[in-house]
Amino acid sequence: VNPSHPAYSKNALDRRSGERNQPGWYEAQLDKAGARFAVFSGDKLVMHAGPAGSGGIKWFTRSELPTLMGNVPPVFLGADTSETAHFAAQAENDEAAAGNGLVALDVRSIALQGLVPAHDLGLIAQARSLLHWHSRHRFCANCGGTTSAGDAGYKRSCEACGAEHFPRTDPVAIMAIVRESNMLLGRSSRFAENMFSTLAGFVEPGETAEDAVRREVFEETAIRVGRVDYVMSQPWPFPANLMLGMVGEALSEEITIDPEELADARWFSFDEVRMMNTRTHPGNAVVPPDISIAWHLIRHVLDTRG
Ligand SMILES: [Zn+2]
């Protein structure tokens, strides 16, 4: 597998963001013949069972929908080129996938196992992030009142104080740090054995993405970073992050790891990184799988500087 884009970054649907807040528009889409619904059971998507779960997304018709979570109506994902309206819905319980050749699978496994085409992963990420937000924002953060969904699922309004709440996307800086022909990679204790990846951390309020790169790298490894260049981004629906992939130039070499954040961090030569990618590294070190933006950032560095 050698995709040209990270997982979850391709989405063929037209979100109709300029129309979906018009009165009656959402209801008209719901009523359309052929409207189809992806159903989540908890954080898992209901799929057709098949060899290794490879039967693809189970698209429900409106009349087939299971009982949905209270106060979380279907959210509009977008329309395809034949104007078919696509929605995502949150089942109230886990019976949605019971029997009938269906199975509920977590979104990471669907990507890792390549169970759907790349353009379906984008709408799956959109659906999971939106539904996760709805299921956890049924009450107003301002006054505690009950909120209700509007704008086809892209807003919740408080029935008591009128405050409007919008779906979150939390930016995370992820960075390949380079010095001459070497790359800084680290591993957390949560990682699979021998896996080294690019460092990453949440962008804080009032901070540029570039400064988040410099701050996180210094906190975790004591390496100073100068120039930072943006490369690519990836929606990461666990639950609603936007990974901002960047390359940074190191200004120093000596690593002092923060043991709270990292189990290890090292400089690897580009030749070593190539071996890590082909799983031929003499120390058995490996890089993350190619669904990740980390893999694509690493490949970008090797392609442009290797
Ligand atoms: Zn309120």
Side-chain angles (χ1 to χ4, degrees), residues 255-273:
I255 297 169
T256 304
I257 65 163
D258 173 358
E260 305 246 314
E261 299 270 353
L262 291 178
D264 197 0
R266 302 181 204 166
W267 290 106
F268 291 93
S269 71
F270 289 174
D271 285 339
E272 279 185 285
V273 176

Side-chain angles (χ1 to χ4, degrees), residues 27 49 52 84 88 107 112 114 152 170 180 209-211 223 247 256 259 265 279 282-283 302 304:
E27 290 76 12
T84 299
V107 170
L112 266 175
D170 298 327
E180 295 168 356
E210 291 87 348
D211 277 346
I223 299 290
V247 173
T256 304
R279 304 200 170 231
L302 296 179
T304 55

Side-chain angles (χ1 to χ4, degrees), residues 140 142-145 158 160-163:
C140 178
N142 185 47
C143 78
C158 178
C161 77

Side-chain angles (χ1 to χ4, degrees), residues 53-106:
S54 57
I57 301 171
K58 161 62 179 172
W59 288 105
F60 290 73
T61 65
R62 194 174 183 186
S63 61
E64 287 176 329
L65 281 175
T67 304
L68 301 183
M69 179 183 280
N71 198 6
V72 179
V75 297
F76 181 76
L77 299 177
D80 64 13
T81 51
S82 54
E83 296 292 318
T84 299
H86 291 63
F87 294 86
Q90 185 72 52
E92 181 181 66
N93 55 45
D94 56 12
E95 288 167 18
N100 301 321
L102 302 176
V103 60
L105 295 174
D106 74 89

Side-chain angles (χ1 to χ4, degrees), residues 139-147 157-165:
F139 299 96
C140 178
N142 185 47
C143 78
T146 301
T147 61
S157 301
C158 178
E159 294 167 8
C161 77
E164 294 184 330
H165 304 280

